[in-house]
Amino acid sequence: RYDASVGLRGSAISQFEYGLKAGYRKVDSALMNAFLTTDFGDIQQAYADVFLVWKSERVEFDGNFHWCNTQATNVSLNAFLPSAFSGDFRFTYNHLRRIFASLAVEGASKMKQADHNGPSRGGYVDLSLEGEWRFSRNAGLWVKAGNLTGMAIEKVPGHVVKGPYFTGGITLKF
């Protein structure tokens, strides 16, 4: 097993951060997604990652982008390679550090079967809106409405999220 990479990370004008990383890895018995289960296989992967962050007093934008080219051997017929392209963006506005509103987009290209003969799993775009109200420094309420595009999202083979979903909760800081 080995993983060799080179990267660059920095910031400019105190509000902007960036990073770039590229590398190559070879892993024996790597954990892989499979239809309704997991599998192991030997992989060789070239990859590149980019992240960008902009922070100001009221606005934050961050984006992460990932590319990989994966070759796999010694896998079962139902194992899937990772998506070649994936990424996410998030725009957050905060009002007086008490009320937060976010627009987020996450996506990935299709997942191909490791043996290249079977069907691939479709790519997706997950658009979501999120909100949080912090009624004290240590507690708050949050809500999220996801998959607003109504796509059939299959991040893991065999587990499909169809249509919009809503979730919420409390935040406690100790």
Side-chain angles (χ1 to χ4, degrees):
R1 171 179 190 213
Y2 62 88
D3 185 345
S5 64
V6 62
L8 172 68
R9 188 176 184 133
S11 64
I13 61 171
S14 76
Q15 295 173 322
F16 179 65
E17 297 176 35
Y18 57 90
L20 172 65
K21 180 180 176 182
Y24 181 82
R25 68 174 57 109
K26 182 176 180 181
V27 181
D28 295 333
S29 297
L31 184 64
M32 300 180 72
N33 283 326
F35 189 72
L36 297 175
T37 185
T38 56
D39 196 2
F40 295 91
D42 302 336
I43 65 166
Q44 294 182 45
Q45 184 180 70
Y47 62 92
D49 296 303
V50 175
F51 83 88
L52 304 167
V53 178
W54 173 271
K55 290 182 183 181
S56 68
E57 186 177 334
R58 299 246 172 138
V59 174
E60 181 175 336
F61 168 82
D62 64 82
N64 298 288
F65 313 97
H66 178 74
W67 167 84
C68 68
N69 182 3
T70 307
Q71 303 297 321
T73 57
N74 299 325
V75 295
S76 72
L77 296 176
N78 65 349
F80 286 86
L81 300 175
S83 298
F85 297 98
S86 62
D88 61 84
F89 312 93
R90 179 179 307 277
F91 172 80
T92 303
Y93 175 79
N94 83 67
H95 181 70
L96 304 175
R97 295 189 176 126
R98 293 266 185 200
I99 299 172
F100 295 80
S102 296
L103 171 70
V105 179
E106 177 186 352
S109 62
K110 64 183 175 182
M111 292 181 285
K112 296 180 182 177
Q113 235 172 343
D115 68 359
H116 299 288
N117 293 325
S120 59
R121 298 291 177 204
Y124 68 91
V125 174
D126 185 359
L127 175 67
S128 63
L129 294 173
E130 302 171 24
E132 182 178 358
W133 172 46
R134 293 184 186 163
F135 44 84
S136 75
R137 283 191 321 193
N138 299 328
L141 298 172
W142 63 270
V143 64
K144 176 180 180 179
N147 194 13
L148 298 178
T149 57
M151 294 185 75
I153 296 175
E154 191 171 11
K155 295 180 185 180
V156 177
H159 178 74
V160 181
V161 177
K162 295 181 180 178
Y165 63 88
F166 301 93
T167 186
I170 60 172
T171 303
L172 300 174
K173 295 182 182 177
F174 296 101

